Every structure is written in C-alpha cells, then in structure tokens.
Amino acid sequence: MTIENLSSNKSFGGWHKQYKHTSTALNCDMRFAIYLPPQANDSKPAPVLYWLSGLTCTDENFMQKAGAQRIAAELGIAIVAPDTSPRGDDIADDNAYDLGQGAGFYVNATQTPWAKHYQMYDYINQELPELVKSTFPVTDQWAISGHSMGGHGALMMALRNSEQYTSVSAFSPIVNPVSCPWGEKAFSAYLGDDKADWREYDSTELLRESSAKVPMLIDQGLADNFLAEQLKPQNFTAVAKEKHYPLTYREHEGYDHSYYFISSFIEDHFMFHAKYLK
C-alpha cells in the first residue's frame, strides 16, 4: 500500500510525521500521524500506543496538545493517532458535530448512507495496524488509549480484542453509549434500531460478558460538563467491581473535558502502558 508523507517535525529526538493513504476499509483517502521515538529503528523496533480522539477531532489534536512526545521518547514508545472518521466531499455527513465526519464512533456502520465509508472498527482494528507494522520500525506489541468518543473506542477495541492489546486506558470515556444521548444518536444512525447490535460496541455491555482481563486505567475529571448525562462512569465501574476486573479508576477534582486535563495526566498513562509493553 502506497502512503504519502505530508509533514515531518523533529521532537525530543524522534519524529512526528503525518501521512495520507488510500483506505480499502473506508473507501477513501485517510490521514494519520505517527510519532517515532529516537530509539526506533529496524534493529530495535518500538512498541505502539494507538490513540483514538474524540468528537470533532483529527489526528492533530492529541499530537499538538497532549504533550506526549517527551515521555514517549523517554520510554521508547511509538504513538499512532488516526483520524476520527472518513472525510471528503463525497462522504456522508451531518450538520451536527456529533454525527458524520469527525464523529465515526469507531463502529462498522450498517445503515445507508453511512455503510459505504464508515467502517472505522475494521480500519482501526485491522487495516491501520497492518499498514503501520509493514511500514515503520514497530513491534506487534500494541496498547490503546483515547479520550471521550475515543475513550469509548479504546475500551471497546480492547474488550473485543483482548489478545491484541497489552493494556488500555482512557480519559473521560463514553463508557455506556447505548444509554447516553451521544451514543443513542450515533448508534441509531450507523447501526439501525436493533439495540442488540448497539451492545456489540458498548464497553459496559462488553465488560459484563468479558472473560479476558486487559489491564485498564481510566481518568475522569469531576468538573466535566458531560459527566452526568453522557459519560456515566458509574455504570462501567459497577460492572468492573462485580467482575473483579483489573481497572484503576481515578477521579480528579476541578478537571474538565479538555486537553488541559489530558496533558496533566498523560505521563501517568504512558508509564502505565510501559509496564505491559516492555
């Protein structure tokens, strides 16, 4: 598969690069970013942390705002940040920020007009990792993390593919999308009216049925405007407690839903993943 380098920036001895490639899963061109730490080369490939971003975001939000490159360089961990949806003039979209382009929710859509392009689950879980591994000096040790909609994606991906990810973490994740306005709107559009299909992408429901134990860290700000209506972490933590799941759940007074919160604790997440990636 041919990929095109769009930009390169040296950072903490490593390289942040943006690429464009044609995705067969999504039937369109896609962009992603990768940070390669200074240790990464063909004789010493780096493990990978996949980062999934939230509503309205692209690959740029995390790479520019989280301040993750320093700790990634120190630990020798590569970062891969995909876009949050397919994009283009001929791609189905919606005027609202929480549906369509920028709001793929990391599912495989089954409904018209979304199904033609919105196969984000296959893209994140299969196509992009295969492309990254075949192109860059990285190992097949992968961790996954994300924020908000991306936190939903990270938890869901890890719970559905426990053999693929060494660990998972999230900031302010949408943990129970079948029971919140964001998830109800997106899932009904992308997946249809049968809520049995929704549960296949709901982390709380997946955790309830899971027998695997992927180490998990979740950070939640208590000043988050979306906490009560959209995020509902208590639904997830109750199931985790019942199942004795290896979850570390932390609440933080005064922190909101922004990248100020993420950048304050991103080093903790990399240190958490490093224990398992090494």
Side-chain angles (χ1 to χ4, degrees):
M1 184 182 296
T2 301
I3 67 173
E4 176 186 353
N5 180 225
L6 301 177
S7 67
S8 299
N9 301 94
K10 195 162 188 180
S11 178
F12 293 97
W15 287 93
H16 166 267
K17 299 185 178 186
Q18 279 185 319
Y19 287 90
K20 181 173 76 171
H21 74 105
T22 299
S23 166
T24 56
L26 304 177
N27 296 304
C28 66
D29 286 344
M30 287 295 287
R31 192 178 74 186
F32 70 93
I34 185 168
Y35 176 73
L36 291 168
Q39 304 92 327
N41 56 57
D42 290 338
S43 62
K44 189 180 180 182
V48 182
L49 175 70
Y50 282 86
W51 173 269
L52 305 185
S53 287
L55 290 165
T56 75
C57 291
T58 69
D59 63 287
E60 294 182 335
N61 294 75
F62 180 78
M63 291 300 203
Q64 294 181 6
K65 295 181 179 181
Q69 288 87 346
R70 183 194 61 78
I71 188 64
E74 180 181 320
L75 297 172
I77 297 173
I79 309 169
V80 173
D83 205 342
T84 53
S85 76
R87 295 182 191 269
D89 293 340
D90 60 341
I91 307 295
D93 199 7
D94 189 90
N95 290 331
Y97 75 95
D98 53 357
L99 187 68
Q101 296 186 36
F105 269 85
Y106 305 104
V107 304
N108 283 343
T110 59
Q111 305 299 300
T112 304
W114 312 104
K116 181 179 179 182
H117 296 288
Y118 284 74
Q119 304 296 308
M120 287 296 292
Y121 177 84
D122 284 349
Y123 177 69
I124 299 297
N125 192 55
Q126 297 176 10
E127 184 178 24
L128 183 60
E130 290 172 2
L131 173 62
V132 168
K133 187 178 177 184
S134 67
T135 307
F136 302 101
V138 298
T139 72
D140 56 4
Q141 280 195 306
W142 307 335
I144 191 165
S145 186
H147 170 233
S148 193
M149 179 186 73
H152 139 73
L155 296 174
M156 178 268 292
M157 291 283 177
L159 288 166
R160 288 185 58 161
N161 304 277
S162 58
E163 75 290 343
Q164 186 161 308
Y165 299 102
T166 62
S167 48
V168 57
S169 71
F171 290 86
S172 314
I174 305 169
V175 294
N176 199 188
V178 303
S179 298
C180 76
W182 277 338
E184 290 169 354
K185 178 179 180 178
F187 283 14
S188 61
Y190 297 145
L191 304 173
D193 295 331
D194 188 347
K195 292 192 176 183
D197 296 332
W198 299 11
R199 289 194 288 271
E200 295 182 14
Y201 296 101
D202 184 285
S203 296
T204 298
E205 297 299 325
L206 291 168
L207 183 65
R208 200 183 308 278
E209 303 299 325
S210 177
S211 59
K213 305 286 187 183
V214 182
M216 184 180 294
L217 170 64
I218 295 176
D219 277 325
Q220 176 62 59
L222 293 180
D224 192 320
N225 290 337
F226 304 112
L227 179 58
E229 183 181 23
Q230 303 283 10
L231 306 182
K232 302 183 178 182
Q234 69 277 4
N235 296 2
F236 189 82
T237 56
V239 177
K241 183 177 180 180
E242 176 186 323
K243 293 181 66 69
H244 304 288
Y245 199 88
L247 165 65
T248 299
Y249 173 74
R250 310 189 304 185
E251 295 181 331
H252 304 274
E253 291 284 352
Y255 286 93
D256 58 18
H257 200 71
S258 71
Y259 268 83
Y260 293 107
F261 174 43
I262 295 170
S263 62
S264 296
F265 297 100
I266 192 63
E267 183 168 332
D268 290 356
H269 283 240
F270 272 81
M271 297 295 289
F272 168 77
H273 290 295
K275 292 187 296 183
Y276 304 101
L277 287 170
K278 298 298 183 183

